[in-house]
Structures are given as structure tokens and as C-alpha cells.
Amino acid sequence: MFVLISQRDVPAEKGANRDALEQDYVSYYAKFGITLIPVSNNSENIEEYFKLPIYGLILSGGNNVNPKLYNQESKYPSDFSVNRDNTEKKLLELAIKKKLPVLCECRGSQFMNVFFNGSLIQNINDEIGTNHVAVAHKIRIIDEKVSSFLGKTETIVNSFHKQGFTKEQLSKKLESFAIAEDGIIEGIYHPEYPIAGILWHPERSGCDEELNKRLIQAFIKGELFWKK
């Protein structure tokens, strides 16, 4: 099974930008029979990727989302990438057009929220007073159908993001299914399109492996948020 995946945009010191995808993504999703096809942030013809026999799309972590996309000025030093934002916008538009399942991770979920006209907290630590970088924390599964499918009402996830959103910033077009104790939303989905996002990283240690397994299997089987 072939799945497209977005990549981190890394500016080089001498001007030659680089795309980067952590190898953990490749090895983790391979366990589920998924072969990832990385999409360059410098691709001019994103449509060409969709001519391949792909099953779906993953929006990966890394980089921040440009605050200008949700009508704010940047309050902090940030590593946002205009090229990456444009690339993921095209990827989502084409995936929706072709009715392909989409899984968003971490930054991918933040971009998903902004794509559907939501906004972000630019720095959770400064604005909420809690840390979501390199920690593990509890989340509650607040959607009964999702908790029934996953077999849990709460669990532990890893966390590697400075940006995030609460109910106040959540797009009116999206629904939340998981939330942290500080009010940061950890899981979202679109009620009409087969698109869902999580703020944690299944491919990294520090979270519920069994719950992640059920989520990824639902993604590839077309169940739960991705039901056909």
C-alpha cells in the first residue's frame, strides 16, 4: 500500500533548502504494510503524485504553521515554511477532491485546523502555562463512538509541539475527539471528509502502542473517521 507523506522543510546555511523525513516514520508505517512516498516541498506539480497508485495521505510533524494563515503576526521566533504550507494546502485539496483518507500528525493536525479556518496558539507554554515539548501526558477520549472503537476513555501520549489549539481556536468545520488536561485538543476529525488528526507521534516512544495500532489499522481499513 502506497501512501503520500509530507516532509519537514529545513533551510540550509548556504541557501540550499532540504526536505527531511525522520526514518522512524518509514519503519513504523512499514509494520502496517504501508510504503511511504515523500512529497518534496519544492514540487511544482503536486498533481503528478496523485497519478500514482496511492491509498491516502499523511501530513507529518515538524515546522510551525505560518501565523499569517490564521490572520496573526508571528509573536515568537519560528521555523515556519511558506513552501511547506503551500505544499500541504495542495495535498489536502487534492486528497479531498479524490476522496482519499488523510491522517495528520502533530504539525499536520495544526495545519489541518488552519486549513479549515481555525487558528492556533503560537506558544502553549507562554500562553497557557503548560509544556507540550518532549513530555508524556494524559488525554481523555471525549467522543463516545471513538472511545468505544478504541476501547479506552483515556490514555497517555507523547508530545512534541509548541503550537496547539483549544475549543476557542478549533475550526467550526471540525470535531474534537481527544483533549489534554490543560484544554489543548489532541484529536480532531472532519465530520464529512475522511480526514482526522492527532497531536502525538505514533512512530515515537512514550505513548499507547495498542491505541496507536487500532488507529492506524482503522486508517488503512477505511474505518472510524476514514469509513468509506
Side-chain angles (χ1 to χ4, degrees):
M1 175 184 291
F2 296 101
V3 172
L4 299 180
I5 187 168
S6 63
Q7 300 186 82
R8 187 187 300 263
D9 189 4
V10 183
E13 292 182 0
K14 296 184 179 180
N17 284 18
R18 301 172 183 172
D19 295 315
L21 181 68
E22 292 91 332
Q23 295 177 3
D24 288 347
Y25 283 106
V26 177
S27 56
Y28 179 78
Y29 284 101
K31 297 176 183 178
F32 298 91
I34 294 174
T35 299
L36 296 176
I37 301 177
V39 178
S40 175
N41 293 298
N42 198 38
S43 297
E44 295 184 0
N45 297 310
I46 302 295
E47 297 85 356
E48 294 299 312
Y49 286 95
F50 288 82
K51 294 179 181 179
L52 301 171
I54 59 170
Y55 170 78
L57 168 68
I58 294 173
L59 297 187
S60 66
N63 297 121
N64 289 322
V65 179
N66 191 341
K68 289 185 178 180
L69 295 181
Y70 48 96
N71 300 315
Q72 291 185 21
E73 293 298 322
S74 181
K75 301 176 184 177
Y76 309 92
S78 183
D79 69 338
F80 61 78
S81 161
V82 173
N83 282 346
R84 180 169 185 178
D85 290 335
N86 290 338
T87 296
E88 291 193 342
K89 180 177 183 290
K90 293 176 184 176
L91 285 170
L92 266 181
E93 288 173 342
L94 287 165
I96 290 170
K97 181 179 179 180
K98 296 180 179 296
K99 301 179 180 180
L100 297 177
V102 181
L103 170 62
C104 303
E105 279 194 34
C106 198
R107 173 236 148 75
S109 297
Q110 297 162 16
F111 186 82
M112 171 184 168
N113 186 48
V114 172
F115 178 88
F116 287 107
N117 300 319
S119 63
L120 298 176
I121 297 167
Q122 293 188 37
N123 190 302
I124 296 171
N125 201 338
D126 284 359
E127 299 179 42
I128 301 293
T130 52
N131 179 34
H132 280 255
V133 179
V135 297
H137 62 79
K138 183 188 295 184
I139 62 169
R140 290 185 295 114
I141 310 297
I142 57 176
D143 185 297
E144 290 186 6
K145 290 183 179 179
V146 179
S147 62
S148 177
F149 184 92
L150 297 176
K152 296 186 178 183
T153 57
E154 62 179 41
T155 189
I156 300 294
V157 298
N158 57 34
S159 189
F160 296 91
H161 56 101
K162 291 182 180 179
Q163 296 188 330
F165 49 93
T166 66
K167 289 182 180 180
E168 292 181 358
Q169 294 83 31
L170 179 65
S171 164
K172 290 179 171 55
K173 299 178 182 179
L174 301 176
E175 301 288 341
S176 61
F177 71 87
I179 190 169
E181 293 177 311
D182 60 0
I184 296 296
I185 292 174
E186 294 281 331
I188 55 176
Y189 67 94
H190 196 287
E192 297 179 20
Y193 304 138
I195 304 173
I198 54 178
L199 269 289
W200 64 93
H201 286 262
E203 77 284 356
R204 297 182 185 178
S205 61
C207 52
D208 191 328
E209 293 184 10
E210 183 58 33
L211 181 139
N212 288 335
K213 181 178 178 181
R214 293 182 184 182
L215 272 176
I216 305 306
Q217 287 178 335
F219 171 65
I220 63 179
K221 292 179 180 179
E223 298 173 336
L224 196 57
F225 315 113
W226 305 282
K227 189 173 182 179
K228 298 179 179 180

